Amino acid sequence: MFRLQGSKVLAVEMTGDAVKAKNGSMVAYDGQMAFKKLSGGGEGIRGMVTRRITGEQMTVMEVRGQGTCWFADRASEINLVALQGDKLYVESSNLLATDGGLRTGTSFTGLRGASQGNGLFTTTVEGHGQAAITSDGPAVVLRVSPRFPLNVDPGAYIAHQGDLRQSFQSGVTFRTLMGEGGGEAFQIRFEGDGLVYVQPSERNTIAGDV
């Protein structure tokens, strides 16, 4: 159903089924399509609609019909993730599209700064099907095993899946180790067995200059 045309355009073959995608991300389609804006509620869509960490509004649309739809998001790289009944945790701004049958929701995964009291809500995608996630530059998939935990800069984090425990280490970041940056900052530590997706570019986060 999902295939890449190049690295920055997602083509979705539709045969009467549905796909959910970031509003405004469709760049072309052929055939007969119906579009519906999703504004919250039901299946935990609110978790995709509102990125609570910054209050950024993110609307989602449902596309249903016969034909092909093409999606893209500001020339970002697109990465396909196949789910076999497991759960994917992903930053909402990096979630481009999901199979209509996949369930979406919101998971609270910790605090991004004790002094500010900011909660970290991550979008979850689970079920059987495919999801498309975006990255600023080609994403790298890093393996975490019980013997080899992983520390990640939050500005580079995109998503993770598997049996992973997530914790936050405040007061230190990769830049402060090098004598750069300032303010309260943190790292994300993953332990267990699973995969972590990171991008070769850092977004701004509310916990400090990371």
Side-chain angles (χ1 to χ4, degrees):
M1 185 179 182
F2 284 15
R3 60 183 171 85
L4 294 180
Q5 289 196 209
S7 62
K8 300 180 180 181
V9 177
L10 170 70
V12 181
E13 307 292 342
M14 310 283 287
T15 56
D17 41 5
V19 62
K20 299 173 202 166
K22 181 181 293 188
N23 197 45
S25 63
M26 188 182 65
V27 295
Y29 74 92
D30 62 23
Q32 299 294 321
M33 299 291 168
F35 307 93
K36 181 172 67 174
K37 182 178 178 180
L38 303 177
S39 58
E43 272 193 22
I45 295 296
R46 189 176 302 278
M48 293 177 65
V49 174
T50 305
R51 193 179 181 202
R52 301 186 192 184
I53 194 170
T54 61
E56 172 189 348
Q57 296 298 310
M58 177 183 171
T59 53
V60 178
M61 63 180 178
E62 180 185 78
V63 184
R64 184 183 299 272
Q66 301 271 354
T68 304
C69 280
W70 289 269
F71 300 92
D73 185 21
R74 294 172 295 181
S76 297
E77 300 281 335
I78 300 174
N79 314 271
L80 298 184
V81 179
L83 297 177
Q84 304 293 332
D86 51 331
K87 183 181 292 187
L88 175 73
Y89 297 82
V90 57
E91 287 285 280
S92 61
S93 61
N94 293 99
L95 182 59
L96 177 65
T98 65
D99 280 351
L102 290 175
R103 300 181 301 279
T104 56
T106 305
S107 175
F108 178 75
T109 55
L111 294 176
R112 273 193 170 178
S115 66
Q116 297 176 357
N118 294 309
L120 173 59
F121 289 85
T122 300
T123 296
T124 59
V125 183
E126 60 183 317
H128 293 267
Q130 285 183 297
I133 60 177
T134 60
S135 57
D136 186 1
V140 177
V141 184
L142 301 176
R143 183 81 195 185
V144 180
S145 68
R147 291 183 56 196
F148 297 100
L150 181 70
N151 287 10
V152 176
D153 188 314
Y157 167 80
I158 301 172
H160 71 273
Q161 64 185 131
D163 184 18
L164 292 176
R165 297 179 304 280
Q166 188 177 1
S167 60
F168 297 91
Q169 300 180 341
S170 62
V172 63
T173 185
F174 293 94
R175 288 188 181 177
T176 56
L177 287 174
M178 301 299 293
E180 301 177 5
E184 184 183 17
F186 61 98
Q187 297 176 3
I188 310 175
R189 183 177 177 86
F190 293 95
E191 299 176 275
D193 187 9
L195 302 174
V196 178
Y197 299 78
V198 298
Q199 63 184 6
S201 176
E202 295 175 308
R203 71 174 70 82
N204 292 326
T205 70
I206 61 173
D209 179 12
V210 296

